[in-house]
Amino acid sequence: MARRSFIAGNWKMNKTPDEARALALELRAKLEGFKNCDVAVCPPYVSLAPCVTALRGTNIAVGGQNLFWEKAGAYTGEVSGPMLAAAGCEYVIIGHSERRQYFGETDQTVNRRLQAALNCNLKPILCVGETKDERQRNVTEEIVRRQMDGALAGFKPEALATLTIAYEPVWAIGTGLTASPAQAQAVHAFIRGLLKAKFGASAAEQLRIQYGGSVKADNARELLSQTDIDGALVGGASLVAKDFDAIVRAAK
Ligand code: PEP
């Protein structure tokens, strides 16, 4: 089945609110009228409002980079799903490897965040992927299976309707190393197989799986042409409007 491509930019901890607004406006100008795939940008929390305003009425959606699973309360420093939704977010990234690596995110906390996102109608982008050591030890599939099982524990097939998975090999994130199209396709097909076994063929065929890890203007087309690669989660290159624009235009 034909899945609509989805390119998302993860701006990470970059850009002040003014800089973020300027980048959003640049993207707005470049992608005016572009409708060939879904596009989103995920700025830091403090830049959500200026980006939502700058991108209103366009085909570029806005997403958060994380959320906390409680709705409100004494959780200093956290931001909840309803807050992101009220700020104008359509998407939210969950379980990014930097959160797993530096902020103690586990498969169980990813599961809770995912549930919280779905409860307030945010569309989650769930990140999974192996480290360099895990790839070298040949346990990529085992790791991805554990992450997927943990994140999706207790979910019904309907929950997959708005979910995107981002396969991001940790060794390729921000390193300039990219999984080869064949390496990435193999893991994407594996992930789709897992989804099929767990949730049925129809849910698995509809769900989009993005690739992430040093996607650039010059490698995007080949990666995105693979059967099970339905888009990209882009870090570094999403901070430069012309590069992100080129990646968006390389989508199927
Ligand atoms: C990411 O962190 O989601 C990512 C893919 O980063 P980069 O494109 O910079 O490797």
Side-chain angles (χ1 to χ4, degrees):
M1 75 155 286
R3 291 172 292 270
R4 186 170 162 81
S5 295
F6 175 28
I7 309 291
N10 173 11
W11 293 2
K12 310 193 182 185
M13 197 176 72
N14 292 292
K15 305 286 178 192
T16 63
D18 281 349
E19 291 167 347
R21 180 173 175 278
L23 177 55
L25 288 172
E26 253 190 285
L27 289 174
R28 178 187 178 121
K30 286 197 181 299
L31 290 168
E32 190 82 64
F34 183 86
K35 294 200 176 76
N36 292 2
C37 70
D38 290 344
V39 182
V41 294
C42 302
Y45 293 138
V46 292
S47 296
L48 288 172
C51 287
V52 166
T53 304
L55 297 171
R56 189 160 287 136
T58 72
N59 294 314
I60 307 173
V62 175
Q65 295 178 14
N66 186 27
L67 55 66
F68 187 55
W69 52 80
E70 295 294 344
K71 290 193 178 93
Y75 303 103
T76 304
E78 295 300 312
V79 168
S80 72
M83 289 173 182
L84 292 181
C89 287
E90 184 174 336
Y91 294 94
V92 61
I93 298 172
I94 297 197
H96 190 278
S97 65
E98 286 151 17
R99 300 235 36 106
R100 295 177 192 256
Q101 203 177 340
Y102 306 134
F103 302 102
E105 195 81 68
T106 65
D107 294 329
Q108 287 67 41
T109 57
V110 166
N111 177 268
R112 294 189 77 175
R113 289 180 212 276
L114 210 46
Q115 186 61 65
L118 293 173
N119 287 349
C120 58
N121 294 323
L122 286 165
K123 299 173 182 167
I125 301 174
L126 165 65
C127 302
V128 298
E130 81 288 0
T131 62
K132 184 175 174 193
D133 172 64
E134 289 160 348
R135 175 152 289 257
Q136 282 169 346
R137 285 192 288 117
N138 223 0
V139 292
T140 296
E141 292 191 353
E142 197 181 305
I143 296 298
V144 170
R145 179 196 298 275
R146 192 209 69 213
Q147 293 172 333
M148 293 281 294
D149 283 348
L152 297 173
F155 284 91
K156 299 216 157 54
E158 304 83 81
L160 270 62
T162 61
L163 178 67
T164 297
I165 308 277
Y167 167 58
E168 300 206 305
V170 180
W171 49 271
I173 295 181
T175 57
L177 296 174
T178 317
S180 69
Q183 274 175 326
Q185 164 58 29
V187 182
H188 281 232
F190 174 72
I191 291 173
R192 206 174 300 286
L194 289 178
L195 291 167
K196 188 173 169 186
K198 218 173 159 71
F199 298 102
S202 158
E205 279 306 310
Q206 280 169 44
L207 185 140
R208 298 185 290 198
I209 308 175
Q210 296 175 321
Y211 169 77
S214 298
V215 175
K216 308 281 177 220
D218 59 5
N219 61 21
R221 195 168 296 279
E222 211 189 335
L223 284 160
L224 293 168
S225 67
Q226 303 297 307
T227 319
D228 287 290
I229 301 187
D230 310 311
L233 181 55
V234 186
S238 71
L239 296 169
V240 179
K242 80 167 176 15
D243 293 351
F244 190 64
D245 174 62
I247 294 169
V248 168
R249 288 173 194 279
K252 290 190 274 248

